[in-house]
């Protein structure tokens, strides 16, 4: 225990004596952690959105209202026979209306369906077809509507009114979120590397400034780790301070900007966003890890003990 | 050899050997050099076929003209340098065979006063001495009790808060001495511990070394101070151009002189009047 205190004292002493490089790495760590603090929730949210979209992807095959139950049953068997179809779900007119009602209710909107004239149900019945793999969606669609004599797609059954590919919409969302995601990940990675190097540089300067001292320490019998730990602690302190500053800024930002906006902007307040306390722990962990690795690598390379 | 002379002398007088000498025969010499040679990179031969042994509890002077290889020899003993030939044994162990990890432990058992002091410039007098204890994992209580004692012994008790660059050359030297013996190592190597000191302070340092030696620590002192060596009447090893040219126990060698008597005689013979500190 007194050892630990000694090493912490030594680390602080070193930072006090040459503050400039320490400040530089504290600032870099703070900026990195700050960006990660924004990126992680955003990534979480977009991740959630794509999952949701993927779940909804499929072919909605809408049917004419006058389709008989026999025709519907025959079509269902036929669809099940198509390659790459994972599941087929029949959604009757009544069920479609129910789904619409549920959704309206979930979104706290007035139940418009009650105002339908003569309680007529305008929604068509449909088959919701899920492919085993998103890439096979197109082949299923052409199996449902093979090109006819005129070259235009002809449905395999006269009761099919329209085949709607929800992927047209979904894929654009997916590629956008995918690109944004990668862009953010690359930036985050670069920042992490930058702070690794800067913390490493701080330690290197510290080693350089104290190389005579290190030599003396060795001659009076200090073990390698006895000499290394203060440097390590110095790096960890930089990491911790940087991380703490970033977390403080994030907290203020959350209180002042995000929370008031959260009601109107769905993106930030989704349930998928990890809880703030957990985020803080993750961020401080990243800050400490980055500085520990940064100092560790430098010690290995430059402290010949 | 000095060892035989000393023990013969003691037996003749029918006295009991001092405590620290009783184990001499059973245990290997604390320092032994076997045909040691050191050639520096660049080809300068600093030591050539040097063989010598120092027994536990001895007080030995190492003398010789500048550049004869005295500091080189000291550096070999703490493995700051490695010999190009021969073996260096500490307490019977060839230190070349020590794994790197054990070297700090070797150095902790050897207190060294470096010719260039090797103080830690960013630490106070107190912290410089404390560092030698922190290195061995001493408790805070131990540090608080031992450091002031060591500083008092070298007369730096009133300078504990100074940094090395706020000390005179002689004070830095004494600080270096305090650090070397604060953890009571069994072997103390002092490379010119009185090099920058006036005669009175020199006697003070020698008195301190003598007192340390009295507690059982083997002391090896490098010095140019011919007069001091003559007055101290201890074993003297003389080096010249990397060779041992003389190794003898000088004068009326006695282990029985008390520190006070010793200091009084030294002051008297060197014409130093008052206590240095
Ligand atoms: N690192 C080194 N590289 C090359 N030559 C060296 C090195 N260190 C010492 N020497 C040479 O080795 C010889 C012995 O040096 P050493 O320091 O042992 O002398 P010394 O007896 O301690 O002298 P002094 O009494 O002046 O301290 C000298 O001639 C010196 O120039
Ligand atoms: Mg020398």
């Amino acid at each position: 225990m007194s050892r630990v205190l000694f090493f912490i004292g030594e680390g602080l002493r070193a930072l006090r004596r040459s503050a400039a490089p320490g400040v530089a790495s504290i600032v870099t760590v703070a900026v990195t952690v700050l960006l990660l603090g924004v990126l992680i929730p955003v990534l979480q949210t977009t991740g959630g959105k794509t999952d949701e979209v993927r779940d909804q992807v499929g072919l909605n095959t809408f049917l004419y209202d006058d389709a008989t139950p026999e025709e519907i049953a025959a079509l269902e068997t036929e669809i099940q026979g198509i390659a790459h179809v994972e599941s087929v779900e029949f959604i009757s007119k009544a069920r479609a209306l129910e789904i619409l009602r549920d959704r309206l209710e979930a979104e706290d909107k007035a139940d418009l369906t009650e105002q339908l004239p003569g309680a007529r149900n305008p929604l068509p019945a449909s088959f919701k077809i899920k492919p085993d793999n998103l890439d096979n969606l197109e082949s299923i669609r052409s199996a449902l509507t093979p090109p006819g004599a005129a070259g235009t797609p002809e449905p395999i059954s006269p009761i099919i009114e329209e085949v709607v590919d929800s992927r047209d919409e979904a894929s654009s969302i997916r590629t956008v979120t995918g690109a944004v995601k990668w862009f953010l990940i690359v930036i985050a990675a670069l920042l992490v590397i930058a702070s690794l190097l800067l913390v490493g540089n701080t330690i290197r300067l510290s080693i350089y400034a104290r190389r005579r001292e290190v030599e003396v320490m060795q001659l009076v019998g200090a073990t390698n780790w006895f000499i290394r730990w203060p440097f390590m602690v110095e790096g960890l302190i930089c990491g911790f301070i940087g991380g703490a500053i970033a977390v403080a800024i994030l907290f203020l930002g959350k209180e002042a900007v995000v929370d008031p906006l959260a009601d109107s902007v769905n993106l930030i307040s989704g349930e998928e966003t990890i809880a703030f306390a957990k985020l803080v722990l993750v961020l401080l962990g990243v800050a400490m890890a980055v500085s520990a690795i940064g100092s560790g690598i430098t010690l290995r390379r430059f402290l010949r003990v | 050899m000095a060892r035989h002379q000393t023990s013969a002398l003691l037996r003749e007088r029918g006295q009991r050997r001092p405590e620290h000498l009783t184990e001499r025969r059973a245990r290997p010499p604390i320092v032994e050099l076997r045909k040691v040679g050191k050639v520096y990179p660049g080809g300068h031969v600093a030591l050539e076929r040097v063989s010598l042994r120092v027994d536990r509890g001895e007080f030995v002077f190492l003398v010789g003209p500048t550049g004869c290889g005295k500091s080189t020899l000291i550096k070999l003993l703490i493995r700051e340098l490695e010999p190009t030939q021969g073996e260096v044994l500490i307490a019977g162990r060839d230190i070349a065979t020590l794994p790197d990890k054990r070297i700090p432990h070797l150095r902790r058992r050897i207190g060294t006063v470096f010719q260039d002091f090797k103080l830690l410039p960013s630490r106070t007098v107190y912290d410089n001495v404390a560092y030698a204890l922190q290195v061995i994992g001493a408790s805070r209580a131990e540090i608080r009790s031992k450091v002031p004692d060591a500083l008092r012994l070298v007369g730096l008790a009133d300078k504990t808060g100074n940094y090395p660059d706020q000390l005179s050359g002689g004070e830095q030297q004494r600080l270096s001495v305090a650090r070397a013996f604060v953890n009571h190592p069994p072997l103390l190597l002092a490379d010119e511990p009185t090099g920058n000191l006036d005669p009175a302070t020199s006697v003070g340092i020698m008195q301190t070394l003598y007192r340390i030696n009295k507690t059982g620590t083997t002391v090896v002192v490098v010095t140019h101070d011919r007069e001091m060596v003559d007055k101290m009447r201890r074993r003297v090893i003389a080096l010249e151009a990397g060779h041992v040219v003389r190794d003898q126990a000088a004068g009326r060698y006695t282990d029985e002189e008390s520190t006070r008597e010793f200091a009084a005689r030294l002051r008297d013979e060197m014409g130093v009047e008052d206590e240095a500190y």
Side-chain angles (χ1 to χ4, degrees):
Chain A
M1 191 57 212
S2 72
R3 277 246 159 151
V4 174
L5 290 179
F6 173 76
F7 290 136
I8 292 174
E10 293 289 289
L12 285 173
R13 174 212 289 269
L15 278 174
R16 264 206 312 275
R17 273 175 49 213
S18 55
V23 168
S25 47
I26 287 173
V27 169
T28 333
V29 171
V31 169
T32 308
V33 172
L34 199 57
L35 269 143
L36 283 178
V38 174
L39 291 190
I40 291 175
V42 167
L43 287 182
Q44 289 270 326
T45 321
T46 55
K49 281 242 160 1
T50 32
D51 281 348
E52 200 176 297
V53 166
R54 197 169 294 132
D55 207 47
Q56 286 169 352
V57 153
L59 289 174
N60 290 331
T61 309
F62 296 102
L63 308 178
Y64 288 112
D65 280 359
D66 58 0
T68 64
E70 292 77 30
E71 282 173 317
I72 291 170
L75 181 57
E76 181 162 7
T77 330
E78 207 172 336
I79 293 174
Q80 271 160 352
I82 297 174
H84 304 302
V85 170
E86 190 183 272
S87 68
V88 185
E89 190 191 349
F90 177 66
I91 297 179
S92 66
K93 285 173 67 74
R95 177 86 190 106
L97 191 62
E98 230 173 90
I99 291 172
L100 179 61
R101 279 209 188 103
D102 286 349
R103 189 184 295 169
L104 289 176
E105 201 179 331
E107 293 176 7
D108 276 340
K109 291 184 181 132
D111 187 356
L112 296 165
T113 59
E114 304 206 321
Q115 296 162 20
L116 292 168
R120 220 190 106 242
N121 181 353
L123 301 174
S126 66
F127 280 114
K128 197 170 173 184
I129 304 168
K130 281 205 173 177
D132 55 0
N133 185 319
L134 277 185
D135 300 329
N136 294 323
L137 209 58
E138 213 41 48
S139 83
I140 297 173
R141 184 213 266 278
S142 52
L144 279 171
T145 55
T152 52
E154 286 291 326
I156 51 169
S157 162
I159 61 168
I160 294 177
E161 187 194 357
E162 196 186 6
V163 177
V164 176
D165 182 352
S166 49
R167 197 178 63 155
D168 293 341
E169 190 193 3
S171 68
S172 68
I173 294 174
R174 251 167 14 99
T175 49
V176 168
T177 56
V180 169
K181 197 167 178 170
W182 280 111
F183 178 69
L184 295 182
I185 288 173
V186 166
I187 288 190
L190 288 177
L191 271 163
V192 167
I193 292 170
S195 30
L196 266 175
L197 293 178
L198 262 139
V199 172
N201 192 51
T202 305
I203 301 307
R204 204 178 86 172
L205 289 173
S206 191
I207 291 171
Y208 187 76
R210 289 190 277 160
R211 64 196 184 288
R212 292 266 313 148
E213 248 178 285
V214 166
E215 193 189 308
V216 174
M217 291 167 177
Q218 285 176 286
L219 287 176
V220 299
T223 56
N224 293 349
W225 275 108
F226 195 82
I227 295 172
R228 278 189 197 129
W229 267 116
F231 289 107
M232 204 74 193
V233 168
E234 190 182 340
L236 284 175
I237 291 173
C238 287
F240 183 79
I241 296 177
I245 290 175
V247 164
I249 295 174
L250 278 174
F251 180 75
L252 291 179
K254 180 175 132 65
E255 291 286 296
V257 184
V258 180
D259 284 353
L261 276 179
D263 297 334
S264 43
V265 183
N266 211 8
L267 181 80
I268 306 166
S269 74
E271 291 97 80
E272 310 92 337
T273 315
I274 44 174
F276 191 69
K278 209 162 141 197
L279 180 66
V280 167
L281 285 182
V282 168
L283 293 180
L284 283 181
V286 167
M288 303 287 273
V290 160
S291 48
I293 295 169
S295 337
I297 293 174
T298 316
L299 285 175
R300 210 154 260 292
R301 282 192 56 202
F302 295 101
L303 192 60
R304 293 261 164 266
V305 296
Chain B
M1 290 296 293
R3 182 167 69 105
H4 302 299
Q5 288 173 9
T6 317
S7 46
L9 203 88
L10 290 169
R11 233 176 292 122
E12 240 169 80
R13 289 205 259 148
Q15 283 173 328
R16 263 190 45 201
R17 270 186 298 188
E19 201 67 53
H20 61 276
L21 299 178
T22 50
E23 280 183 292
R24 250 186 210 180
R25 279 154 184 263
R27 295 157 87 184
I30 191 152
V31 174
E32 185 173 4
L33 268 61
R34 292 183 186 156
K35 296 185 181 148
V36 169
K38 175 66 192 177
V39 182
Y40 278 108
H44 184 90
V45 181
L47 292 175
E48 210 174 356
R49 297 179 69 79
V50 171
S51 293
L52 59 89
R53 40 192 293 169
V54 177
D55 282 306
R56 276 164 218 274
E58 271 196 280
F59 192 115
V60 179
F61 280 112
L62 192 59
V63 300
T66 179
C68 69
K70 305 181 296 293
S71 298
T72 303
L73 198 154
I74 296 290
K75 287 173 186 169
L76 290 173
L77 296 182
I78 58 170
R79 218 175 116 175
E80 186 183 343
L81 295 174
E82 300 196 9
T84 32
Q85 276 135 42
E87 290 141 42
V88 178
L89 290 83
I90 300 290
R93 169 110 197 224
D94 181 356
I95 58 172
T97 66
L98 280 178
D100 284 356
K101 268 176 63 181
R102 299 296 303 171
I103 293 175
H105 299 269
L106 170 78
R107 291 175 179 167
R108 290 175 199 176
R109 311 267 298 145
I110 303 177
T112 313
V113 181
F114 299 93
Q115 188 167 14
D116 55 354
F117 316 143
K118 298 216 188 293
L119 301 171
L120 297 167
S122 65
R123 286 161 206 262
T124 61
V125 165
Y126 183 95
D127 287 341
N128 260 280
V129 178
Y131 193 80
L133 290 170
Q134 279 153 348
V135 152
I136 60 167
S139 70
R140 281 160 169 262
E142 208 177 335
I143 291 171
R144 263 198 297 274
S145 81
K146 283 186 174 173
V147 173
D149 280 351
L151 287 174
R152 218 174 0 256
L153 213 57
V154 296
L156 285 177
D158 57 340
K159 302 264 161 116
T160 53
N162 286 33
Y163 286 87
D165 61 5
Q166 299 167 337
L167 296 177
S168 74
E171 284 165 342
Q172 291 181 34
Q173 196 148 34
R174 284 185 272 155
L175 175 53
S176 174
V177 173
R179 182 184 61 187
F181 73 75
V182 69
N183 60 9
H184 301 297
L187 176 60
L188 186 72
L189 308 174
D191 197 348
E192 306 233 22
T194 58
N196 297 305
L197 304 179
D198 58 73
T201 313
S202 297
V203 171
I205 289 289
M206 281 303 167
Q207 185 182 352
T208 306
L209 293 176
Y210 186 85
R211 185 182 292 141
I212 293 165
N213 176 242
K214 278 266 167 192
T215 67
T217 298
T218 310
V219 178
V220 177
V221 181
V222 172
T223 186
H224 283 294
D225 195 338
R226 275 271 162 193
E227 199 187 356
M228 175 74 77
V229 172
D230 291 344
K231 304 287 191 275
M232 290 266 296
R233 300 173 192 151
R234 301 285 121 165
R235 178 179 168 195
V236 178
I237 299 172
L239 283 180
E240 227 162 83
H243 293 268
V244 175
V245 293
R246 187 162 61 95
D247 182 355
Q248 62 184 67
R252 291 162 286 141
Y253 189 119
T254 167
D255 283 317
E256 302 313 309
E257 199 171 25
S258 81
T259 311
R260 195 163 291 281
E261 287 162 5
F262 161 82
R265 177 173 61 77
L266 218 58
R267 286 209 181 81
D268 188 39
E269 291 183 7
M270 291 186 70
V272 175
E273 295 295 314
D274 49 344
E275 294 257 335
Y277 46 83

